[in-house]
């Protein structure tokens, strides 16, 4: 296995700390403290922070402060809609490229997710996104693979925990996934377009009861001025 670059290690450690809540929204990220925490110099730390800023997990304000990004329903709505489009394409392109054994494992994983959805287990949302991420990695399209990974991490961060879910929407999305995997030929899924009651597309999970919000997320005033922002302001910004 090739040796990993220090900036790659730093990206993984800082990203995981942001996604699991160890580093909270708006929390300052001094590179000297991060370097001491991770046991490396500040150069790979700065490179890692720049990469995390690209995917929206870190906010870098030139000559001022670097901090964990803030959350807002508007940002989540935008990212989740885009991720839904990418997952619709992955669901169309990946199944014909999967081996029978790999397809069966994904179907089994979908079965386990259904049990959790019906038990209203909040961890199911992230696990569902990760399952679609596996599907995306097997779609045979490099631009989609790279973009999906970044946007998925952004959605997981912006969704936060705990959050209200539309459990019926989540259940239908997983049922569609299982049905698609059971028939590996082309599904004819097309990218979604705006329509009455939300964005619509063949195979999409934009059910009318979801109010146009994908992935079963219930957002308040999503896409309307950034309502629901969550951020810990640093002392100098108060």
């Amino acid at each position: 296995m090739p040796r990993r670059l220090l900036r790659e290690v730093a990206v993984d450690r800082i990203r995981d700390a942001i996604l699991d809540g160890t580093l909270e929204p708006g929390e300052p990220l001094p590179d000297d403290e991060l370097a001491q925490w991770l046991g490396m110099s500040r150069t790979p730390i700065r490179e890692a922070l720049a990469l995390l800023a690209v995917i929206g997990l870190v906010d870098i304000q030139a000559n001022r402060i670097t901090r964990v990004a803030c959350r807002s329903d508007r940002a989540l709505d935008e990212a989740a809609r885009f991720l839904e489009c990418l997952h619709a394409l992955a669901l169309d392109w990946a199944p014909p490229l999967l081996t029978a054994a790999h397809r069966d494992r994904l179907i089994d994983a979908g079965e386990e997710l259904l049990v959790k959805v019906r038990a209203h287990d909040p961890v199911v949302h992230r696990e569902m996104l990760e399952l679609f991420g596996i599907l995306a990695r097997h779609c045979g399209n490099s631009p989609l693979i790279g973009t999906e990974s970044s946007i998925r991490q952004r959605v997981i961060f912006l969704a936060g925990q705990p959050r209200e879910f539309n459990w019926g929407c989540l259940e239908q999305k997983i049922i569609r996934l299982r049905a698609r995997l059971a028939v590996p030929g082309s599904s004819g899924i097309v990218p979604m377009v705006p329509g009455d009651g939300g964005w619509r597309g063949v195979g999409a999970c934009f059910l009318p009861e979801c109010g146009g919000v994908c992935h079963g997320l219930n957002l308040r005033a999503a896409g309307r001025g950034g309502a629901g922002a969550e951020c810990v302001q640093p002392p100098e910004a108060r």
Side-chain angles (χ1 to χ4, degrees):
M1 179 180 295
R3 185 177 180 181
R4 301 185 68 205
L5 298 175
L6 286 178
R7 71 166 175 267
E8 295 174 341
V9 175
V11 164
D12 287 350
R13 293 284 302 279
I14 298 171
R15 180 199 61 221
D16 290 347
I18 291 173
L19 294 183
D20 69 19
T22 301
L23 297 172
E24 299 180 347
E27 183 173 341
L29 297 170
D31 50 24
D32 55 342
E33 293 183 13
L34 291 174
Q36 183 176 7
W37 173 46
L38 297 179
M40 61 182 68
S41 70
R42 289 190 294 178
T43 297
I45 296 295
R46 290 170 178 167
E47 293 173 347
L49 293 173
L51 292 171
L52 291 169
V54 171
I55 64 176
L57 300 187
V58 169
D59 177 26
I60 298 177
Q61 301 178 20
N63 301 319
R64 290 189 59 194
I65 190 172
T66 298
R67 62 181 184 177
V68 179
C70 295
R71 293 184 177 122
S72 76
D73 281 352
R74 179 175 182 175
L76 173 58
D77 185 54
E78 292 174 349
R81 288 177 185 274
F82 185 31
L83 185 63
E84 183 70 21
C85 292
L86 297 175
H87 285 172
L89 291 174
L91 191 59
D92 189 32
W93 296 345
L97 305 179
L98 297 172
T99 65
H102 202 166
R103 188 162 54 248
D104 288 343
R105 286 197 296 271
L106 291 174
I107 292 174
D108 290 343
E111 292 283 359
E112 294 175 4
L113 287 180
L114 271 181
V115 173
K116 292 181 179 181
V117 166
R118 290 163 180 166
H120 291 189
D121 186 341
V123 304
V124 73
H125 177 254
R126 179 167 180 172
E127 292 182 0
M128 182 190 69
L129 294 184
E130 299 291 359
L131 181 59
F132 271 88
I134 294 173
L135 199 66
R137 289 196 292 274
H138 290 82
C139 75
N141 185 287
S142 295
L144 189 149
I145 294 170
T147 305
E148 187 277 338
S149 176
S150 297
I151 300 300
R152 172 165 39 85
Q153 292 173 60
R154 180 165 172 76
V155 168
I156 291 171
F157 164 69
L158 291 170
Q161 290 292 349
R163 175 170 287 278
E164 297 176 2
F165 297 104
N166 186 312
W167 299 104
C169 179
L170 286 173
E171 182 173 356
Q172 289 302 312
K173 185 174 178 66
I174 296 169
I175 289 173
R176 289 192 191 95
L177 171 62
R178 290 188 312 160
R180 176 69 184 97
L181 290 171
V183 183
S186 176
S187 68
I189 291 175
V190 297
M192 291 164 293
V193 296
D196 294 338
W199 286 41
R200 309 295 297 180
V202 179
C205 77
F206 290 102
L207 305 178
E209 60 269 26
C210 294
V213 180
C214 62
H215 291 306
L217 293 165
N218 284 339
L219 303 182
R220 295 182 177 86
R224 297 174 178 85
E230 175 188 343
C231 184
V232 178
Q233 293 292 335
E236 59 269 30
R238 293 172 181 165

